[in-house]
Structures are given as structure tokens and as C-alpha cells.
Amino acid sequence: MVLCRLAGALPVGRRVIPQMPWRSSSSAAAPIQACRLFSSSPELEEPEVLFSKEGYTNFVILNRPKALNALNLPMIRAMFPEYQIMEKANSSRLVILAGAGEKAFCAGGDVKALYLEGVNKAGTQMRKTFFREEYQLNFLIGTLRKPHVSILDGVTMGGGVGLSVHGHFRVATENTVFAMPETGIGFYTDVGGSYFLLVCRAIWAPSSGSRESASRA
């Protein structure tokens, strides 16, 4: 895989993760604490997003493998300031985004967390906050002046597509499963899906919610 060529690597199952000192985002610690309830994990045993740097290369790893790296608000708030730093830093010349575990890059937004928030009075506002900040992160990635490479190894759906498709490069593997499944429950594609899928001339996928393999993507 690409990660092997860019840094010393440690195999984890079939996935290869760079072997380096990972860290969580210190700048995002307060926001993560403030919105801890907006996560399907009652206690965070380890950071949900890992950041590291080797030479001029920045690595960002979505670290919720048990939840197929589903995207929640704490993850968004951890990533946004880090991407802002990488955008401005002269020592950052490449960003690589990948998912931990053996099954998924990112299966989309954390629907369970969104549902759980919906049962309390703040649910509506929190859902608006989630989508607003998710789209802001998508825009930041899409306008990043540094080369951005997403490794789509495994399930890549919904919000995971939004994190990857707006960047400069996407690497599909034999395990990639690409889809915008929200159309199956009556929603139209978000995260810019109505634009990028049409540009890719992929009319069937956004309208049907069908899943595409790497050979068809």
C-alpha cells in the first residue's frame, strides 16, 4: 500500500499503519470534552483521531475501528484545527488520511450518536452543529493547498466520502466499498455528492444508494 512507501510501517491485519508516535489533538481537547455526549462511545479509551508527522508528511488516522471509523462531532473538532495548522505550516507538504482497523476507511456519519442526541431537547441544535462543522471540514480539505491523499481501504460511505473525495488524490484498494447509502432511506446525497458524482458521471450511485467496488469506482 501507499503508506508502506511513505514511511516506516507496521502491519496491522491486512492494513499497514505507519509506526510512529501518535498523538491526539491538544488544541481540540476542550471541544472534545464539551461535546463528549455527541458520541456513541460513553468513554473514550483512546483518541478517536490520531495525528503524527514524519519528515514533511502528516498522517491523520480515523481511530474508531469498532464503529467502522464512523465520523462524530469530536472527531470533526479534532481534525479541523489540525488541518488549519497543516495548511499554514511550511514543514507540512503532504497529508495522508486513512482509517484504523481492517474493515473501513469511514462508514459515514455516526448515525447512532445523531439518534441518541435526538432524544434530548438539544438534539435538533446539535444535529445542525454536526452537519455545519462537517461541511466546513469538507471545504477545508477541498481547498487545502497541500497534496491530500485518502486511502479508501474498506467501507467508504457518506461522511467518509465527504472527507476523501474533495481532496487531491484517493487510493482505492481491492477492499474498497464506495457508496452514498442515504438515498436508500429517502435522503439525497450530501457532502457535495450531487456535484462530485455527476462530475464522475456516476448517476446510478447517488440515485440508488448502490455500493461500488474498487474495480467499478
Side-chain angles (χ1 to χ4, degrees), residues 82-102:
E82 292 289 337
Y83 270 90
Q84 288 180 311
I85 293 170
M86 291 184 283
E87 170 74 346
K88 297 176 180 178
N90 293 329
S91 61
S92 297
R93 300 183 183 178
L94 173 65
V95 182
I96 295 179
L97 175 63
E102 301 182 359

mmCIF file of all heavy atoms in Angstrom, residues 82-102:
data_model
loop_
_atom_site.group_PDB
_atom_site.id
_atom_site.type_symbol
_atom_site.label_atom_id
_atom_site.label_comp_id
_atom_site.label_asym_id
_atom_site.label_seq_id
_atom_site.Cartn_x
_atom_site.Cartn_y
_atom_site.Cartn_z
ATOM 1 N N GLU A 82 -6.303 20.935 13.296
ATOM 2 C CA GLU A 82 -5.067 20.317 12.817
ATOM 3 C C GLU A 82 -4.863 20.586 11.320
ATOM 4 O O GLU A 82 -3.754 20.856 10.872
ATOM 5 C CB GLU A 82 -5.095 18.815 13.088
ATOM 6 C CG GLU A 82 -5.030 18.439 14.559
ATOM 7 C CD GLU A 82 -3.662 18.702 15.171
ATOM 8 O OE1 GLU A 82 -2.658 18.759 14.421
ATOM 9 O OE2 GLU A 82 -3.599 18.859 16.402
ATOM 10 N N TYR A 83 -5.950 20.519 10.558
ATOM 11 C CA TYR A 83 -5.850 20.820 9.131
ATOM 12 C C TYR A 83 -5.509 22.285 8.915
ATOM 13 O O TYR A 83 -4.772 22.627 7.973
ATOM 14 C CB TYR A 83 -7.152 20.454 8.418
ATOM 15 C CG TYR A 83 -7.171 19.041 7.896
ATOM 16 C CD1 TYR A 83 -7.637 17.996 8.689
ATOM 17 C CD2 TYR A 83 -6.706 18.738 6.616
ATOM 18 C CE1 TYR A 83 -7.643 16.688 8.212
ATOM 19 C CE2 TYR A 83 -6.707 17.443 6.136
ATOM 20 C CZ TYR A 83 -7.171 16.414 6.939
ATOM 21 O OH TYR A 83 -7.169 15.116 6.472
ATOM 22 N N GLN A 84 -6.009 23.166 9.758
ATOM 23 C CA GLN A 84 -5.656 24.578 9.650
ATOM 24 C C GLN A 84 -4.170 24.786 9.886
ATOM 25 O O GLN A 84 -3.521 25.566 9.176
ATOM 26 C CB GLN A 84 -6.468 25.405 10.659
ATOM 27 C CG GLN A 84 -7.938 25.549 10.303
ATOM 28 C CD GLN A 84 -8.696 26.376 11.317
ATOM 29 O OE1 GLN A 84 -8.588 26.144 12.524
ATOM 30 N NE2 GLN A 84 -9.447 27.357 10.837
ATOM 31 N N ILE A 85 -3.620 24.070 10.867
ATOM 32 C CA ILE A 85 -2.179 24.150 11.147
ATOM 33 C C ILE A 85 -1.374 23.616 9.974
ATOM 34 O O ILE A 85 -0.391 24.226 9.539
ATOM 35 C CB ILE A 85 -1.843 23.379 12.441
ATOM 36 C CG1 ILE A 85 -2.473 24.074 13.652
ATOM 37 C CG2 ILE A 85 -0.332 23.254 12.617
ATOM 38 C CD1 ILE A 85 -2.393 23.274 14.933
ATOM 39 N N MET A 86 -1.785 22.459 9.433
ATOM 40 C CA MET A 86 -1.064 21.860 8.307
ATOM 41 C C MET A 86 -1.099 22.761 7.079
ATOM 42 O O MET A 86 -0.138 22.828 6.314
ATOM 43 C CB MET A 86 -1.632 20.476 7.989
ATOM 44 C CG MET A 86 -1.333 19.434 9.064
ATOM 45 S SD MET A 86 -1.889 17.767 8.636
ATOM 46 C CE MET A 86 -3.661 17.888 8.938
ATOM 47 N N GLU A 87 -2.212 23.448 6.881
ATOM 48 C CA GLU A 87 -2.345 24.342 5.741
ATOM 49 C C GLU A 87 -1.314 25.459 5.793
ATOM 50 O O GLU A 87 -0.749 25.860 4.759
ATOM 51 C CB GLU A 87 -3.764 24.927 5.714
ATOM 52 C CG GLU A 87 -3.981 26.055 4.725
ATOM 53 C CD GLU A 87 -4.059 25.585 3.279
ATOM 54 O OE1 GLU A 87 -3.682 24.430 2.991
ATOM 55 O OE2 GLU A 87 -4.489 26.366 2.447
ATOM 56 N N LYS A 88 -1.016 25.958 6.978
ATOM 57 C CA LYS A 88 -0.133 27.111 7.123
ATOM 58 C C LYS A 88 1.335 26.737 7.332
ATOM 59 O O LYS A 88 2.215 27.556 7.087
ATOM 60 C CB LYS A 88 -0.607 27.971 8.295
ATOM 61 C CG LYS A 88 -1.997 28.559 8.111
ATOM 62 C CD LYS A 88 -2.444 29.327 9.342
ATOM 63 C CE LYS A 88 -3.833 29.902 9.160
ATOM 64 N NZ LYS A 88 -4.305 30.622 10.381
ATOM 65 N N ALA A 89 1.586 25.511 7.786
ATOM 66 C CA ALA A 89 2.949 25.127 8.149
ATOM 67 C C ALA A 89 3.814 24.845 6.922
ATOM 68 O O ALA A 89 3.453 24.024 6.073
ATOM 69 C CB ALA A 89 2.912 23.903 9.054
ATOM 70 N N ASN A 90 4.945 25.505 6.836
ATOM 71 C CA ASN A 90 5.875 25.253 5.727
ATOM 72 C C ASN A 90 6.484 23.861 5.801
ATOM 73 O O ASN A 90 6.937 23.324 4.789
ATOM 74 C CB ASN A 90 6.992 26.306 5.734
ATOM 75 C CG ASN A 90 6.487 27.693 5.416
ATOM 76 O OD1 ASN A 90 5.526 27.858 4.666
ATOM 77 N ND2 ASN A 90 7.125 28.712 5.984
ATOM 78 N N SER A 91 6.491 23.286 7.017
ATOM 79 C CA SER A 91 7.073 21.953 7.197
ATOM 80 C C SER A 91 6.104 20.838 6.824
ATOM 81 O O SER A 91 6.459 19.664 6.877
ATOM 82 C CB SER A 91 7.513 21.777 8.654
ATOM 83 O OG SER A 91 6.398 21.888 9.529
ATOM 84 N N SER A 92 4.879 21.189 6.455
ATOM 85 C CA SER A 92 3.885 20.201 6.027
ATOM 86 C C SER A 92 3.695 20.305 4.522
ATOM 87 O O SER A 92 3.256 21.334 4.019
ATOM 88 C CB SER A 92 2.546 20.449 6.740
ATOM 89 O OG SER A 92 2.680 20.281 8.131
ATOM 90 N N ARG A 93 4.027 19.234 3.812
ATOM 91 C CA ARG A 93 3.937 19.250 2.357
ATOM 92 C C ARG A 93 3.053 18.137 1.795
ATOM 93 O O ARG A 93 2.821 18.092 0.588
ATOM 94 C CB ARG A 93 5.345 19.150 1.755
ATOM 95 C CG ARG A 93 6.258 20.306 2.172
ATOM 96 C CD ARG A 93 7.607 20.238 1.513
ATOM 97 N NE ARG A 93 8.477 21.303 1.979
ATOM 98 C CZ ARG A 93 9.752 21.459 1.593
ATOM 99 N NH1 ARG A 93 10.283 20.591 0.723
ATOM 100 N NH2 ARG A 93 10.479 22.449 2.074
ATOM 101 N N LEU A 94 2.585 17.264 2.667
ATOM 102 C CA LEU A 94 1.729 16.168 2.222
ATOM 103 C C LEU A 94 0.877 15.715 3.402
ATOM 104 O O LEU A 94 1.366 15.621 4.529
ATOM 105 C CB LEU A 94 2.578 14.992 1.721
ATOM 106 C CG LEU A 94 1.851 13.694 1.367
ATOM 107 C CD1 LEU A 94 0.928 13.903 0.165
ATOM 108 C CD2 LEU A 94 2.852 12.581 1.074
ATOM 109 N N VAL A 95 -0.411 15.444 3.150
ATOM 110 C CA VAL A 95 -1.315 14.935 4.189
ATOM 111 C C VAL A 95 -1.893 13.606 3.715
ATOM 112 O O VAL A 95 -2.426 13.511 2.601
ATOM 113 C CB VAL A 95 -2.468 15.917 4.472
ATOM 114 C CG1 VAL A 95 -3.360 15.368 5.587
ATOM 115 C CG2 VAL A 95 -1.928 17.290 4.856
ATOM 116 N N ILE A 96 -1.793 12.590 4.560
ATOM 117 C CA ILE A 96 -2.345 11.274 4.244
ATOM 118 C C ILE A 96 -3.413 10.948 5.278
ATOM 119 O O ILE A 96 -3.170 10.978 6.485
ATOM 120 C CB ILE A 96 -1.262 10.184 4.249
ATOM 121 C CG1 ILE A 96 -0.262 10.447 3.116
ATOM 122 C CG2 ILE A 96 -1.890 8.800 4.090
ATOM 123 C CD1 ILE A 96 0.859 9.449 3.049
ATOM 124 N N LEU A 97 -4.612 10.652 4.798
ATOM 125 C CA LEU A 97 -5.754 10.331 5.650
ATOM 126 C C LEU A 97 -6.129 8.871 5.450
ATOM 127 O O LEU A 97 -6.307 8.415 4.317
ATOM 128 C CB LEU A 97 -6.936 11.240 5.296
ATOM 129 C CG LEU A 97 -8.270 10.984 6.011
ATOM 130 C CD1 LEU A 97 -8.143 11.211 7.508
ATOM 131 C CD2 LEU A 97 -9.355 11.883 5.421
ATOM 132 N N ALA A 98 -6.259 8.124 6.543
ATOM 133 C CA ALA A 98 -6.600 6.703 6.458
ATOM 134 C C ALA A 98 -7.457 6.327 7.661
ATOM 135 O O ALA A 98 -7.661 7.124 8.581
ATOM 136 C CB ALA A 98 -5.336 5.847 6.406
ATOM 137 N N GLY A 99 -7.958 5.092 7.655
ATOM 138 C CA GLY A 99 -8.776 4.599 8.755
ATOM 139 C C GLY A 99 -8.102 3.437 9.458
ATOM 140 O O GLY A 99 -7.422 2.623 8.820
ATOM 141 N N ALA A 100 -8.273 3.355 10.765
ATOM 142 C CA ALA A 100 -7.713 2.251 11.540
ATOM 143 C C ALA A 100 -8.593 1.005 11.387
ATOM 144 O O ALA A 100 -9.764 1.094 11.029
ATOM 145 C CB ALA A 100 -7.616 2.643 13.011
ATOM 146 N N GLY A 101 -8.002 -0.144 11.673
ATOM 147 C CA GLY A 101 -8.751 -1.391 11.594
ATOM 148 C C GLY A 101 -8.680 -2.018 10.224
ATOM 149 O O GLY A 101 -7.998 -1.527 9.326
ATOM 150 N N GLU A 102 -9.415 -3.099 10.048
ATOM 151 C CA GLU A 102 -9.332 -3.895 8.827
ATOM 152 C C GLU A 102 -10.571 -3.804 7.946
ATOM 153 O O GLU A 102 -10.618 -4.432 6.894
ATOM 154 C CB GLU A 102 -9.090 -5.368 9.183
ATOM 155 C CG GLU A 102 -7.817 -5.604 9.991
ATOM 156 C CD GLU A 102 -7.587 -7.075 10.279
ATOM 157 O OE1 GLU A 102 -8.432 -7.888 9.851
ATOM 158 O OE2 GLU A 102 -6.578 -7.410 10.903
#
